[in-house]
Structure formats: structure tokens, C-alpha cells
Amino acid sequence: MFSVLRTDSSHPHFGMLVSQLNAYLSVVNGEKDAFYSQYNQIDVLKNVILVYNEDMPVGCGAVKEAAPGVMEVKRMFTLPAFRGTGVATRVLLELEQWSAELGNRKCILETGRFMPDAVALYSNRGYRQIPNYGPYADAKDSICFEKEIQ
């Protein structure tokens, strides 16, 4: 049975999972990793979700304000052994709910073209592809999405 914790980026389990995420992304992104990692700092994230399997942290994600009423989903990660078990969906739903509770109306995010599981997750959860925004505007390996939340 999975449990959820709302916290912030100072939580040590978030740091542990993000370190594994960064190692994974450095392989996936290759020579472009420096470009992407500059936009993935975690020191100021106030809204972090951790998912646990018993006492073990197995997934995480965060949101940060992108514009008034708009939250950007960041640092989504599930341990490889728990992929396909619903952890990522749970994280995403919790992030959307928390964002809505804070009075936001939309979530946006960026993911990589070479991450088909992530693209499928967001598409299956009602996100629609939008033109690349902000720092990703000219990044041909990025795909950006948005979703209206209630």
C-alpha cells in the first residue's frame, strides 16, 4: 500500500530520489544534460510530493509557480523497480490536487522526446501538448504539456 507525504525540497528522501533522477537524466540527455539541469534546481521547491511503499520512498514530484494561477510540474521520478505500479500517476494526481487547493487553474510541464513513458503518462492523464515555453522554446528534444485543473 502506498502512502503520500506533502513536504518541501529540504526533505532528505526527496534529495535522495532527485539524485537518482539526475543520474538517470544525465544518461538520457547526454551532452545536453548541462542545459536541462540548470532548470532543475530543488533548493526553493515548497510543494513536494513523496510516495512511499511502507517506509521506503519510491517516487517524487514537485510543483512551483510558473505564472499567476499556473504551476509547473518538476522532478517527477519513480524508482525503476516501482515503475508501472501507479506511483507516477499518484504523484501527478497529488500535485494537481495540491495546486488546485492553492488556487491554481493550470499545470504545465516539460519532458524529453526520448522519454516515451513520461510522454504517455502525461497524455493519459489529460495533458495536451503545447508549444515549448520559456527556456525550452528552442529545445528540439523537449515536449511541453498543459492541463486545466479543478
Side-chain angles (χ1 to χ4, degrees), residues 32 35-36 111-114 132 136-143:
K32 297 176 182 163
F35 168 77
Y36 288 104
T111 193
R113 288 194 183 282
F114 304 111
N132 288 2
Y136 312 110
D138 296 324
K140 64 179 171 75
D141 293 329
S142 291
I143 301 176

Side-chain angles (χ1 to χ4, degrees), residues 96-123:
E96 292 170 4
Q97 180 178 338
W98 199 359
S99 295
E101 289 169 13
L102 293 169
N104 296 284
R105 58 179 169 55
K106 184 188 299 188
C107 286
I108 62 171
L109 62 89
E110 177 274 341
T111 193
R113 288 194 183 282
F114 304 111
M115 299 181 72
D117 292 343
V119 171
L121 168 69
Y122 301 128
S123 297

Side-chain angles (χ1 to χ4, degrees), residues 22-90:
N22 289 342
Y24 170 74
L25 289 176
S26 72
V27 173
V28 171
N29 293 332
E31 64 186 35
K32 297 176 182 163
D33 192 55
F35 168 77
Y36 288 104
S37 36
Q38 68 182 317
Y39 303 111
N40 290 322
Q41 302 306 310
I42 65 167
D43 55 339
V44 293
L45 296 174
K46 296 186 248 181
N47 307 99
V48 168
I49 295 291
L50 292 170
V51 171
Y52 290 84
N53 180 39
E54 297 180 11
D55 293 333
M56 183 172 125
V58 297
C60 66
V63 287
K64 72 175 192 174
E65 186 177 38
V70 180
M71 296 295 267
E72 182 178 21
V73 177
K74 305 292 288 179
R75 314 295 20 220
M76 290 281 297
F77 181 70
T78 302
L79 291 177
F82 289 88
R83 291 181 184 158
T85 65
V87 170
T89 297
R90 182 78 182 265

